[in-house]
Amino acid sequence: MILPAQLMSLNHRTFEGDLTASGLRFAIIVSRFNSFITDRLLAGALDAIQRSGGQDAAVDLVRIPGAWEFPITVRTVAAAKKHDAIICLGAVIKGDTPHFDYVAGEAAGGIGAASCDLGIPVAFGVLTTNTVEQAVDRAGAKSGNKGFDAAMTAIEMANLLRKLRTDL
Ligand code: INI
């Protein structure tokens, strides 16, 4: 049995993306619906890229009406092959009708499928919450900033996929 402490000394090749954004190009797709939340997610994502050594000019910002529009936008941006990763930022907040389930489900499924089909990492920074308060908490309050987290994941995955494509 291998103990966790022994893992570092094993002779495997390990592939892991680092957290350096220098030289990477990003597209951030941000939805306007619930913009009082998504603006904060965007600020968090840009902060993460800047603090990881990324350049402002290496970021293309794409604004869309709502989360439903993510899948087709991700596919269009990915097909252009101009970026190392895409970051999706949105906020779907539950209402009194089943509308939430359709919008959130389509966004999540469509983004995931586009990422795999087109071979580009797409970070899912789309909040799906029961209340406005839960969304606020995740957009820079009690529970951190999920825009920042999504951008860090995009940086890591862009570097990991580069390594896998060249070194595997
Ligand atoms: N879009 C969101 O991004 N968040 C929501 O909470 C939301 N709600 O609740 O309706 C929402 N709806 C709009 C949808 O994404 C489309 O833009 C619209 O249906 C037009 O296609």
Side-chain angles (χ1 to χ4, degrees):
M1 149 124 171
I2 295 168
L3 299 171
Q6 294 174 287
L7 287 174
M8 295 298 283
S9 59
L10 293 174
N11 206 16
H12 299 303
R13 290 203 304 159
T14 299
F15 296 88
E16 207 167 22
D18 62 39
L19 297 176
T20 309
S22 174
L24 296 177
R25 297 151 308 163
F26 302 94
I28 300 180
I29 306 175
V30 58
S31 63
R32 245 180 269 114
F33 208 102
N34 294 322
S35 62
F36 69 106
I37 298 291
T38 62
D39 283 350
R40 289 165 190 224
L41 297 176
L42 176 58
L46 292 171
D47 189 36
I49 291 171
Q50 205 171 64
R51 286 167 62 183
S52 305
Q55 288 78 37
D56 288 350
V59 177
D60 288 328
L61 201 56
V62 181
R63 291 189 184 273
I64 59 173
W68 178 268
E69 282 72 35
F70 276 119
I72 189 161
T73 314
V74 170
R75 280 183 185 268
T76 305
V77 170
K81 296 191 184 296
K82 299 264 170 63
H83 306 96
D84 299 290
I86 297 173
I87 300 157
C88 292
L89 304 175
V92 193
I93 302 173
K94 219 174 182 113
D96 296 331
T97 70
H99 193 70
F100 169 96
D101 301 297
Y102 292 105
V103 173
E106 183 68 15
I111 289 170
S115 176
C116 294
D117 290 354
L118 289 143
I120 180 168
V122 183
F124 188 68
V126 181
L127 303 179
T128 55
T129 63
N130 291 323
T131 64
V132 170
E133 191 191 1
Q134 287 174 345
V136 170
D137 284 348
R138 287 158 181 76
K142 277 193 293 202
S143 304
N145 186 315
K146 299 301 175 193
F148 185 99
D149 297 348
M152 295 306 294
T153 298
I155 293 165
E156 178 173 347
M157 287 302 294
N159 284 316
L160 174 63
L161 289 200
R162 257 191 192 180
K163 268 191 201 165
L164 290 175
R165 284 171 182 146
T166 55
D167 301 348
L168 201 60

